[in-house]
Amino acid sequence: MTDTLTAAPAADLLAAAEKLVPMLREQAVEAERIGRLTDPVIDAFRDAGFFTAMRPPETGGAAIGFGTFVDLVQTLARGDASAGWVGAFLISHNWLLTRLNARAQEEIFADGGPGLAAAAAAPPGTAEPVEGGYRVTGRWRFASGIMHSTGRSSPPRVPRGRSRSSPASTRAPSSTPGRSRA
């Protein structure tokens, strides 16, 4: 899909997480004050290759297994629980984005970087068929990692008849104040 990203081996990812623990501890106070992870933390996660760690190799990922993912998140959480929490979502959601169709992936990964996406799991919205697609309406709860995401995934219900509906997945760009995206 892209040759811009290169994957770090699992051992390198875990070593990088271990090296970040002191920095995460130092940044935790500021993160608590501003209500999100600091830019240096997100940048360090990106630089270390964490966001693409679960992605398949053909999309520039390391394809780490679930056990390595857990080890990685636990190591990050030793530095700052919030960093582990948000990191877990952004890492795993990157893998989920690679499960979308080719057209969606081309849009998400067009710049060659990771697709940082927050997701809301509850489907309180609906997707009504309209000419050319669907009109999605609703109100979704807060999604962990939204302050660092370039997109969000929200699962609306698509009406199939009077008594049933089908789940769906939508992706939209995030316009979140407070985080510069240089």
Side-chain angles (χ1 to χ4, degrees), residues 10-131:
D12 291 352
L13 292 167
L14 293 172
E18 192 65 48
K19 287 180 184 173
L20 285 178
V21 168
M23 186 267 266
L24 296 175
R25 288 182 180 145
E26 291 171 9
Q27 294 289 315
V29 172
E30 178 65 6
E32 183 70 21
R33 186 186 72 74
I34 63 175
R36 63 176 175 81
L37 298 183
T38 63
D39 291 351
V41 167
I42 293 298
D43 293 342
F45 284 11
R46 182 180 290 108
D47 293 345
F50 298 158
F51 296 136
T52 57
M54 292 186 81
R55 284 175 38 183
E58 60 271 15
T59 65
I64 63 170
F66 187 71
T68 302
F69 167 74
V70 170
D71 291 344
L72 178 63
V73 171
Q74 285 180 332
T75 302
L76 298 173
R78 279 198 354 259
D80 175 24
S82 294
W85 178 266
V86 172
F89 283 102
L90 295 177
I91 293 166
S92 61
H93 291 170
N94 231 279
W95 173 80
L96 288 171
L97 294 173
T98 68
R99 312 305 298 160
L100 298 175
N101 66 42
R103 182 175 166 205
Q105 288 187 55
E106 286 171 10
E107 287 179 23
I108 294 165
F109 304 123
D111 67 357
L116 300 184
T126 58
E128 297 289 337
V130 297
E131 187 175 327

Side-chain angles (χ1 to χ4, degrees), residues 119-127 136-142 153-158 168:
T126 58
V136 177
T137 58
R139 183 178 198 121
W140 284 266
R141 294 182 209 121
F142 179 83
S153 179
S154 306
R157 297 300 242 171
V158 179

